[in-house]
Amino acid sequence: MIIWVIVFTIAKVSKLDKHGFEIKPYSIVYKNQKVQVVLTRILGRTQKLTRLFSNTSVIAGFIMMGFAFWYLISNLSNFFVKPESFAAMTVLIPGVTIQSGPNIAYFLLAVPIVLVIHEGAHGIVATLEKIKIKTGGFAVFIALFAGFVEPDEEEFAKSRKISKLRVIGAGATSNVLFSFIIAGLLIFNPSFALLMPDPIRSAFYHEPLGVPIISVTEGSGASKAGLLKDDIITAINGIPIVNPQDFQKVNLKPEETASVSILREGQVSQISVIPTPSKDNPQKGMLGILRAAFPAYQPVVPYYIHWSPEVFMFLLWLWMLSFFIGIFNMLPLPILDGGKFIQSIIEKKISDKAVKVTMLSVYALTFALFGLNIALSVVKSGFITI
């Protein structure tokens, strides 16, 4: 709220309302009537590719809607059958949660990019289908962002059914395709393996190499022996270390030399470490390291991109937001593209009254599935707003 007050004050002082902005206590909206010109120029250079994309978006729309329903139903099933696999969902963006201050910054940086791609795709396909775009722009509602293109309602209503489906499906399809591009960059960083389901992970990564060292305590046995940050521990006293849980199998004694196998820059080394007594239990030996909570994976393709932690997290948020906004935007709800998609399919095939009844039934089913997921998430993890 404090950030919003600052942004609102700057907007007022800068007199942005004289430059096409609508400034209200709860929102800042920018509209531009020249968006059509920009979209036409882009289309002139990408018409064949855009045509292929627009046709693909119709098929992708059905696939994404089916995937979103499958996710909601399978997640509900997991709550009762496999509670450990149940994923807590949020009201704003299902599948995405903000749990720390730095994540807010990544979220705020990534959301505008995702929205520009989404709305830009709607606009350029509408232009391809000869549907006029009246305005385009963005809006900020305190903590929420929105991007938009406004097609001419009459032209859109009179357009062919396939044209409507192409335009509607383009936004979500562009987001998911963009998420695949980001994933293509992230996949060469072993940390990304932790977010992949097991069946998919095995196609891109070898079995875990071991457990990385995050930091080494100064003056400890590990420090004196030469263990370094980012070394990967693969064994201790002959006991294989593949996952963090494997450390529980190791019984170290103070002052008794331990043989630690590590992987450093692709080379395996054996290092002798003299453990020091634990502060909590003097009978227990400690190496003097802080280990990662997850194992280290090696990409099948022997190529690494060592992103800085900040770049990696930004790309990760860009991937998450692109994928989940794309997928769940195809749920058939009144304010989402999925609702317009279904209505465009059934309208004119049945009476207006039947269309209304059918859409209300679809909305009710979707709301029920979504609501149950949110309610069970509250039961499991408490209420999460984002």
Side-chain angles (χ1 to χ4, degrees), residues 39-109:
L39 293 174
T40 301
R41 288 177 181 174
I42 296 174
L43 180 62
R45 300 176 181 178
T46 62
Q47 187 157 349
K48 290 183 179 180
L49 187 61
T50 303
R51 177 70 66 184
L52 175 63
F53 168 76
S54 67
N55 290 328
T56 302
S57 68
V58 177
I59 300 172
F62 287 106
I63 294 174
M64 289 185 289
M65 186 180 297
F67 181 84
F69 272 116
W70 171 83
Y71 183 89
L72 292 175
I73 294 170
S74 63
N75 201 46
L76 283 177
S77 175
N78 285 341
F79 183 86
F80 301 101
V81 180
K82 297 171 59 179
E84 69 281 359
S85 299
F86 177 79
M89 291 182 59
T90 59
V91 175
L92 184 56
I93 305 176
V96 178
T97 59
I98 298 178
Q99 298 178 331
S100 68
N103 283 343
I104 295 177
Y106 296 125
F107 176 83
L108 295 178
L109 288 171

Side-chain angles (χ1 to χ4, degrees), residues 102-114 178 182 185-186 307-322:
N103 283 343
I104 295 177
Y106 296 125
F107 176 83
L108 295 178
L109 288 171
V111 162
I113 297 174
V114 174
F178 185 64
I182 299 300
L185 296 175
L186 290 172
W307 305 107
S308 68
E310 294 77 16
V311 172
F312 178 79
M313 287 303 298
F314 170 69
L315 290 174
L316 188 62
W317 273 93
L318 202 53
W319 170 75
M320 284 193 299
L321 290 172
S322 296

Side-chain angles (χ1 to χ4, degrees), residues 360-373:
L360 288 175
S361 300
V362 172
Y363 293 157
L365 173 63
T366 308
F367 269 123
L369 287 173
F370 189 73
L372 281 172
N373 273 275

Side-chain angles (χ1 to χ4, degrees), residues 183 186-194 196 200-208 297-301:
L186 290 172
I187 205 166
F188 295 112
N189 188 302
S191 300
F192 192 56
L194 305 173
M196 288 189 169
I200 299 178
R201 182 191 298 138
S202 61
F204 294 97
Y205 296 91
H206 294 297
E207 290 300 311
Y297 288 86
Q298 181 182 19
V300 172
V301 178

Side-chain angles (χ1 to χ4, degrees), residues 224-259:
K224 294 176 181 178
L227 289 178
L228 302 174
K229 177 182 178 295
D230 295 329
D231 284 347
I232 298 175
I233 296 179
T234 59
I236 299 177
N237 290 338
I239 299 175
I241 302 295
V242 178
N243 296 292
Q245 295 81 358
D246 293 331
F247 279 89
Q248 299 174 7
K249 304 174 185 177
V250 180
N251 184 22
L252 298 177
K253 299 290 185 181
E255 309 304 329
E256 287 187 8
T257 302
S259 177

